[in-house]
Amino acid sequence: MQEKINLLVKKAIEELNHTKDMNELMLLKSKFLGKKSEFNQFMQEIKNLPNEEKPKVGQMVNLAKNEISQKINEVKRQIEEEQILNQLKKETIDISLPGKKFPLGKKHVITQTIEEIEDIFIGLGYEIKEGPEQEQDLYNFEMLNLPKDHPARDMQDSLYISEDTLLRTHTSPVQVRTLLEYVGKKPVKIIAPGRVYRKDDDDQTHSHQFHQVEALVVDKKTSLSDLKGTLLIAAQKLFGSERQIRLRPSYFPFTEPSVEVDVSCYVCSGKGCSMCKETGWIEILGAGMVNNNVLKAAGYDPDLYQGFAIGFGVERIAMLKLGIDDIRNLYTNDLRFNSQF
Ligand code: PHE
């Protein structure tokens, strides 16, 4: 009996040693340990043995079965390990292969310029305010000291939607909205970036739709020198720390006095060149002290309150800074153009 068992174990181990795959292993398992295996036949035979021999032979059979099932487990582990190694080999990434290119977008020149102006004023403690692009005549003109028959309305060719609503022609209505909101509550120190519309024919320097950033300060001690200081800081941050500014008298219905602001030429430093048309100065924006009529209309006492307003044309600033000579390039979304900045 012992010999038969040993032989069987030897045969099993030998076959198991040659197994390389899981299916085969499972077949061998049932061949050697399953119901129809030779071992099971031994177990049957034990029944016929004399009682004294039964435990001994039983023990022998069990030991042999254990040995085989240990061997099966060992082979199983080897096969599994090999499977994992194979899989890892298959899935290795060749990091020396060039990857796919995912082109990254970036901010448009206009957005960059608006954010640059915003950053300057946020640094000075201003708050950002927004208003609707479809605006009431009341805020766009009337309360900005431009009554219905005012000739200066012609300065801004408007796109009306109904008799008293239009696409805003400038960001100044946000001044009115903020003044009304803050009156009697707190001083006003805001900038209002946004899109504005004019009934203009598009050409190299005009667009029917463009962007402005408005700045407005109204408080008890706001003076013309505050305006000058603020303009100087803004001009130097935008065009370089050596720049100077110059104010020329101008006219806006909502400011008095009104000024046109020039910056010393950043190409020739004021000596005179083709950029500044030999004048040494480049016009960058309009500004002024808030007109008393605007203050009054919003409920402020002009004897107590004063303020200033600044109107940046975003496209103009961007074109000057970046040397862009056709405003239409800013709207065509041609990546060959946009990606230069
Ligand atoms: N709102 C004016 C315009 O669009 C610009 C401006 C703003 C001028 C604030 C002075 C003060 O023409």
Side-chain angles (χ1 to χ4, degrees):
M1 191 73 159
Q2 172 81 66
E3 210 157 293
K4 265 174 146 184
I5 293 174
N6 283 348
L7 248 156
L8 189 56
V9 171
K10 207 177 146 204
K11 188 173 142 209
I13 300 239
E14 209 156 281
E15 280 187 42
L16 283 168
N17 272 337
H18 288 105
T19 317
K20 284 261 150 14
D21 114 350
M22 208 48 110
N23 284 340
E24 202 183 323
L25 181 69
M26 289 304 124
L27 286 176
L28 289 180
K29 185 176 176 182
S30 87
K31 175 174 168 189
F32 290 109
L33 298 177
K35 266 193 188 144
K36 289 181 186 157
S37 65
E38 286 181 57
F39 271 112
N40 243 0
Q41 278 167 31
F42 291 149
M43 296 309 258
Q44 302 301 325
E45 281 170 35
I46 290 176
K47 284 186 198 153
N48 306 327
L49 291 174
N51 272 346
E52 330 75 83
E53 283 190 36
K54 277 182 186 167
K56 214 179 117 207
V57 178
Q59 207 187 7
M60 262 159 46
V61 173
N62 277 337
L63 276 174
K65 275 174 93 173
N66 279 346
E67 199 177 334
I68 292 175
S69 74
Q70 256 174 29
K71 181 71 192 175
I72 289 175
N73 284 339
E74 190 189 309
V75 174
K76 191 173 165 216
R77 234 178 299 123
Q78 278 169 4
I79 293 177
E80 280 169 351
E81 223 164 88
E82 212 159 301
Q83 276 177 348
I84 291 176
L85 282 176
N86 275 337
Q87 184 136 6
L88 281 177
K89 223 187 261 169
K90 252 197 278 167
E91 290 177 6
T92 22
I93 295 168
D94 180 355
I95 54 166
S96 66
L97 271 175
K100 270 192 197 149
K101 262 202 178 160
F102 290 100
L104 262 192
K106 60 182 208 174
K107 286 177 183 162
H108 191 274
V109 176
I110 291 179
T111 310
Q112 287 180 36
T113 310
I114 291 176
E115 289 184 354
E116 204 179 333
I117 300 172
E118 283 177 351
D119 283 348
I120 295 170
F121 282 88
I122 286 169
L124 295 171
Y126 286 65
E127 172 195 1
I128 297 179
K129 278 280 189 182
E130 286 184 349
E133 290 175 23
Q134 179 181 327
E135 187 54 282
Q136 298 173 44
D137 184 283
L138 180 70
Y139 296 147
N140 193 83
F141 288 132
E142 199 98 10
M143 290 183 72
L144 286 168
N145 197 31
L146 276 143
K148 283 245 152 60
D149 51 359
H150 199 291
R153 282 199 181 205
D154 294 342
M155 281 165 66
Q156 303 186 349
D157 289 311
S158 322
L159 291 159
Y160 273 87
I161 291 163
S162 68
E163 206 174 315
D164 36 42
T165 56
L166 71 162
L167 293 176
R168 66 178 178 191
T169 56
H170 50 180
T171 41
S172 301
V174 185
Q175 289 190 28
V176 180
R177 289 176 172 274
T178 312
L179 287 171
L180 289 171
E181 185 187 340
Y182 287 6
V183 63
K185 297 197 187 110
K186 55 177 173 177
V188 176
K189 196 173 175 186
I190 59 139
I191 52 167
R195 203 170 279 155
V196 301
Y197 303 82
R198 304 260 172 108
K199 209 170 70 206
D200 246 337
D201 288 329
D202 294 357
D203 63 22
Q204 203 171 337
T205 51
H206 293 86
S207 167
H208 61 283
Q209 178 185 327
F210 56 103
H211 300 77
Q212 293 185 333
V213 179
E214 191 95 4
L216 174 72
V217 175
V218 172
D219 203 351
K220 284 186 177 150
K221 286 184 188 152
T222 313
S223 67
L224 186 65
S225 54
D226 293 324
L227 171 60
K228 258 186 104 172
T230 308
L231 288 170
L232 182 63
I233 289 173
Q236 290 181 339
K237 294 247 181 192
L238 287 169
F239 293 99
S241 55
E242 286 94 64
R243 300 287 88 79
Q244 290 304 313
I245 56 164
R246 175 175 87 168
L247 308 187
R248 285 178 290 111
S250 183
Y251 174 75
F252 300 104
F254 29 86
T255 47
E256 178 61 35
S258 302
V259 292
E260 214 70 65
V261 183
D262 296 343
V263 66
S264 54
C265 182
Y266 44 85
V267 174
C268 62
S269 300
K271 290 187 203 80
C273 67
S274 61
M275 180 75 192
C276 57
K277 301 191 188 93
E278 308 299 333
T279 63
W281 297 95
I282 296 170
E283 182 185 323
I284 50 169
L285 53 85
M289 300 304 292
V290 179
N291 192 304
N292 283 352
N293 289 339
V294 174
L295 291 174
K296 271 191 246 164
Y300 290 76
D301 178 353
D303 289 334
L304 291 176
Y305 287 89
Q306 283 196 328
F308 64 77
I310 307 172
F312 292 88
V314 176
E315 279 78 353
R316 177 160 181 81
I317 305 271
M319 288 168 77
L320 285 174
K321 272 176 69 90
L322 303 169
I324 298 165
D325 58 8
D326 192 327
I327 196 170
R328 290 167 294 196
N329 281 332
L330 294 170
Y331 308 118
T332 47
N333 281 338
D334 185 337
L335 282 180
R336 289 168 304 178
F337 174 82
N338 289 356
S339 55
Q340 295 175 59
F341 307 103

mmCIF file with all atom_site columns, all heavy atoms in Angstrom, residues 99 138 233 278:
data_model
loop_
_atom_site.group_PDB
_atom_site.id
_atom_site.type_symbol
_atom_site.label_atom_id
_atom_site.label_alt_id
_atom_site.label_comp_id
_atom_site.label_asym_id
_atom_site.label_entity_id
_atom_site.label_seq_id
_atom_site.pdbx_PDB_ins_code
_atom_site.Cartn_x
_atom_site.Cartn_y
_atom_site.Cartn_z
_atom_site.occupancy
_atom_site.B_iso_or_equiv
_atom_site.pdbx_formal_charge
_atom_site.auth_seq_id
_atom_site.auth_comp_id
_atom_site.auth_asym_id
_atom_site.auth_atom_id
_atom_site.pdbx_PDB_model_num
ATOM 1  N N   . GLY A 1 99  ? 5.116   62.387  -26.603 1.00 0.00 ? 99  GLY A N   1
ATOM 2  C CA  . GLY A 1 99  ? 3.710   62.344  -26.234 1.00 0.00 ? 99  GLY A CA  1
ATOM 3  C C   . GLY A 1 99  ? 2.847   63.111  -27.212 1.00 0.00 ? 99  GLY A C   1
ATOM 4  O O   . GLY A 1 99  ? 3.330   63.732  -28.147 1.00 0.00 ? 99  GLY A O   1
ATOM 5  N N   . LEU A 1 138 ? -32.161 106.616 -18.939 1.00 0.00 ? 138 LEU A N   1
ATOM 6  C CA  . LEU A 1 138 ? -32.040 107.350 -17.685 1.00 0.00 ? 138 LEU A CA  1
ATOM 7  C C   . LEU A 1 138 ? -30.627 107.284 -17.097 1.00 0.00 ? 138 LEU A C   1
ATOM 8  O O   . LEU A 1 138 ? -30.067 108.290 -16.666 1.00 0.00 ? 138 LEU A O   1
ATOM 9  C CB  . LEU A 1 138 ? -33.050 106.774 -16.679 1.00 0.00 ? 138 LEU A CB  1
ATOM 10 C CG  . LEU A 1 138 ? -33.108 107.386 -15.286 1.00 0.00 ? 138 LEU A CG  1
ATOM 11 C CD1 . LEU A 1 138 ? -33.701 108.791 -15.356 1.00 0.00 ? 138 LEU A CD1 1
ATOM 12 C CD2 . LEU A 1 138 ? -33.948 106.504 -14.351 1.00 0.00 ? 138 LEU A CD2 1
ATOM 13 N N   . ILE A 1 233 ? -0.236  107.174 -11.413 1.00 0.00 ? 233 ILE A N   1
ATOM 14 C CA  . ILE A 1 233 ? 0.048   105.786 -11.012 1.00 0.00 ? 233 ILE A CA  1
ATOM 15 C C   . ILE A 1 233 ? -0.401  104.822 -12.108 1.00 0.00 ? 233 ILE A C   1
ATOM 16 O O   . ILE A 1 233 ? 0.345   103.920 -12.524 1.00 0.00 ? 233 ILE A O   1
ATOM 17 C CB  . ILE A 1 233 ? -0.671  105.444 -9.685  1.00 0.00 ? 233 ILE A CB  1
ATOM 18 C CG1 . ILE A 1 233 ? -0.008  106.195 -8.530  1.00 0.00 ? 233 ILE A CG1 1
ATOM 19 C CG2 . ILE A 1 233 ? -0.638  103.940 -9.430  1.00 0.00 ? 233 ILE A CG2 1
ATOM 20 C CD1 . ILE A 1 233 ? -0.742  106.052 -7.210  1.00 0.00 ? 233 ILE A CD1 1
ATOM 21 N N   . GLU A 1 278 ? 5.712   113.037 -33.427 1.00 0.00 ? 278 GLU A N   1
ATOM 22 C CA  . GLU A 1 278 ? 6.706   114.072 -33.104 1.00 0.00 ? 278 GLU A CA  1
ATOM 23 C C   . GLU A 1 278 ? 6.302   115.001 -31.958 1.00 0.00 ? 278 GLU A C   1
ATOM 24 O O   . GLU A 1 278 ? 6.916   116.042 -31.760 1.00 0.00 ? 278 GLU A O   1
ATOM 25 C CB  . GLU A 1 278 ? 7.046   114.934 -34.348 1.00 0.00 ? 278 GLU A CB  1
ATOM 26 C CG  . GLU A 1 278 ? 7.442   114.145 -35.594 1.00 0.00 ? 278 GLU A CG  1
ATOM 27 C CD  . GLU A 1 278 ? 8.691   113.278 -35.390 1.00 0.00 ? 278 GLU A CD  1
ATOM 28 O OE1 . GLU A 1 278 ? 9.531   113.625 -34.545 1.00 0.00 ? 278 GLU A OE1 1
ATOM 29 O OE2 . GLU A 1 278 ? 8.811   112.239 -36.079 1.00 0.00 ? 278 GLU A OE2 1
#
